[in-house]
Amino acid sequence: MASYSTHKDDVLKRLRRIEGQIRGLQRMVEQDTYCIDVLTQVSAATRALQSFALQMLDEHIACCVSEAIAEGGEDANTKIKEANAAIARLVRS
């Protein structure tokens, strides 16, 4: 089970807000909005996605990784490696 399953509606609501930001960017381009204003909104959407990713990572570590460690075995090492890879991807972007 995914760590966000208990509050999937909240997760989806947050993603819909981000989707709205992206659609707003499309409208801004269609309306020939000043470049700096578009870039400001790109920055806001990027921060929103980064914040979402960090929330997902936090929940993954708190739930999936913690459970795997408590159960022991090779799955714990796999979950830790996956989390580390996700962190590396977030840091590089």
Side-chain angles (χ1 to χ4, degrees), residues 37-89:
D37 294 336
V38 174
L39 290 170
T40 299
Q41 290 306 311
V42 167
S43 179
T46 300
R47 283 192 311 272
L49 274 172
Q50 289 171 337
S51 176
F52 177 78
L54 289 173
Q55 175 192 353
M56 295 297 290
L57 180 61
D58 183 55
E59 290 180 19
H60 176 68
I61 291 170
C63 181
C64 302
V65 175
S66 295
E67 286 177 10
I69 290 170
E71 293 171 5
E74 187 58 33
D75 193 41
N77 289 332
T78 301
K79 296 287 185 197
I80 292 169
K81 287 178 184 176
E82 288 173 347
N84 283 335
I87 292 166
R89 285 190 301 272

